[in-house]
Amino acid sequence: MAELIDGKQIAKTLRAKVKEQATYLSEQGVTPGLAVILVGDDPASQIYVRNKERAAEKAGVQAQTIRYDATITEAELLQKVETLNADPAIDAILVQSPLPEHINEQHLQEAITPEKDVDGFHPENVGKLFANRHEYFPIANTPRGVMTMLQHEQVDLYGKTAVVIGRSILVGKPMFSLLEAADASVSLLHRHTPDDVRHTMLQQADIIVVAAGVPKLITAKDVKPGAVVIDVGINRMEDGHLEGDVDFEAVEPIASKITPVPGGVGPMTIATLLETTVELAARHHEIELEAGWQNI
């Protein structure tokens, strides 16, 4: 049976590290500031934002949620982003998805100054990631959290074969770049990849990261014995329970390590968001954090 990668415990350890560094910044007169813009009343977004607020408070991060009705215009939102860009008390800005159809999410991502782009979605930060720049810049929190999990589990990526399924800017594309930068040989598959090609490539993979949004997409026949399987998918089924993109019961006996759903990658996203917020605050106020402080 595969060893379970306990995302809850890893996230708990990371949040404790974040709190230590937030306390250190506070002693220097700085409280990390996170602004979250929430538009409309999407139930999942409401829950997710409340979880962010609670986690931020426990970690010593000052989080404020700015709520708007779904009728707000894109121009009004862009003006608010500009105000937050200029606010010295705000170190990190996040626009919660999804947005109403009349608002172009890409326009908002581009309006956030790269130095406060806690989600790592600004084109400048994405470009630096794919250019493998070695300076600090924010990186999308879910794939960064996955890399933290792999590091924690001492998964050797050097020279390994990795397959990422899903090409979103949220997970798939930055995940590809991070794995490639760690010297893995990476393939990026998506919904238009033929089934036979996907199956063949998966069977050769040492590491599989799947973020396709398709329940139980990855089955036992897709996984090479001993592979490390990271399931980013969170799919709510008709009866209310959650399923990942991996058929967990079928794949667990084959993999060497596997993340459960829930309790795997999910908790790492918020913990990594707080990690990035603290780092942005330190850079904003020119305070040096201990090198490698977030290693867990």
Side-chain angles (χ1 to χ4, degrees):
M1 301 293 283
E3 177 184 346
L4 288 184
I5 302 177
D6 189 345
K8 288 183 179 179
Q9 185 57 48
I10 300 172
K12 181 179 179 181
T13 303
L14 180 57
R15 289 197 305 270
K17 287 281 193 177
V18 169
K19 185 173 182 178
E20 288 179 10
Q21 295 306 311
T23 299
Y24 172 72
L25 291 179
S26 179
E27 291 169 352
Q28 315 303 311
V30 171
T31 299
L34 168 66
V36 179
I37 296 176
L38 177 61
V39 181
D41 55 3
D42 178 76
S45 293
Q46 298 281 351
I47 293 170
Y48 189 49
V49 167
R50 282 199 297 272
N51 289 339
K52 287 176 182 175
E53 291 172 336
R54 292 169 184 159
E57 182 179 1
K58 291 179 181 178
V61 172
Q62 182 64 48
Q64 60 171 288
T65 301
I66 305 160
R67 292 177 167 82
Y68 292 107
D69 292 335
T71 56
I72 191 171
T73 67
E74 182 177 307
E76 289 173 312
L77 282 177
L78 289 171
Q79 181 57 54
K80 184 59 179 179
V81 168
E82 287 304 313
T83 300
L84 294 172
N85 283 339
D87 187 343
I90 298 300
D91 303 295
I93 303 170
L94 181 152
V95 178
Q96 181 65 43
S97 297
L99 293 170
E101 291 184 0
H102 67 278
I103 296 172
N104 187 315
E105 188 167 356
Q106 184 174 336
H107 291 169
L108 292 181
Q109 292 170 354
E110 292 174 356
I112 298 171
T113 184
E115 292 78 15
K116 295 189 178 186
D117 169 34
V118 72
D119 266 336
F121 294 158
H122 190 283
E124 181 177 319
N125 290 325
V126 173
K128 287 179 178 179
L129 176 61
F130 275 83
N132 199 16
R133 297 276 287 269
H134 296 288
E135 64 195 79
Y136 178 82
F137 51 88
I139 296 168
N141 293 299
T142 298
R144 185 180 179 190
V146 169
M147 294 300 289
T148 300
M149 297 174 84
L150 293 172
Q151 178 188 42
H152 181 271
E153 296 297 308
Q154 298 182 330
V155 175
D156 181 18
L157 298 174
Y158 181 83
K160 296 298 192 297
T161 299
V163 169
V164 178
I165 301 182
R167 56 180 176 179
S168 73
I169 195 65
L170 180 68
V171 180
K173 289 180 179 178
M175 192 78 252
F176 172 93
S177 186
L178 288 169
L179 289 168
E180 187 273 335
D183 296 318
S185 297
V186 192
S187 298
L188 181 64
L189 312 184
H190 48 77
R191 69 180 64 190
H192 300 297
T193 303
D195 289 345
D196 57 339
V197 174
R198 184 186 74 223
H199 178 61
T200 299
M201 298 186 76
L202 283 169
Q203 284 191 321
Q204 299 173 3
D206 302 304
I207 297 99
I208 298 171
V209 181
V210 55
V214 179
K216 296 187 176 182
L217 175 66
I218 304 303
T219 63
K221 64 182 176 60
D222 295 316
V223 179
K224 181 175 77 172
V228 176
V229 180
I230 306 294
D231 190 352
V232 185
I234 301 179
N235 307 285
R236 189 166 296 279
M237 311 307 287
E238 289 185 3
D239 64 0
H241 83 281
L242 297 177
E243 287 281 0
D245 289 353
V246 175
D247 186 342
F248 184 86
E249 290 77 13
V251 171
E252 184 186 13
I254 300 170
S256 62
K257 296 176 184 286
I258 190 170
T259 58
V261 175
V265 175
M268 290 299 298
T269 299
I270 291 179
T272 307
L273 169 72
L274 299 175
E275 174 188 29
T276 304
T277 298
V278 166
E279 291 172 344
L280 291 175
R283 294 185 65 81
H284 181 197
H285 298 279
E286 299 182 343
I287 298 173
E288 185 173 350
L289 298 178
E290 179 184 359
W293 67 269
Q294 69 279 66
N295 291 339
I296 57 174

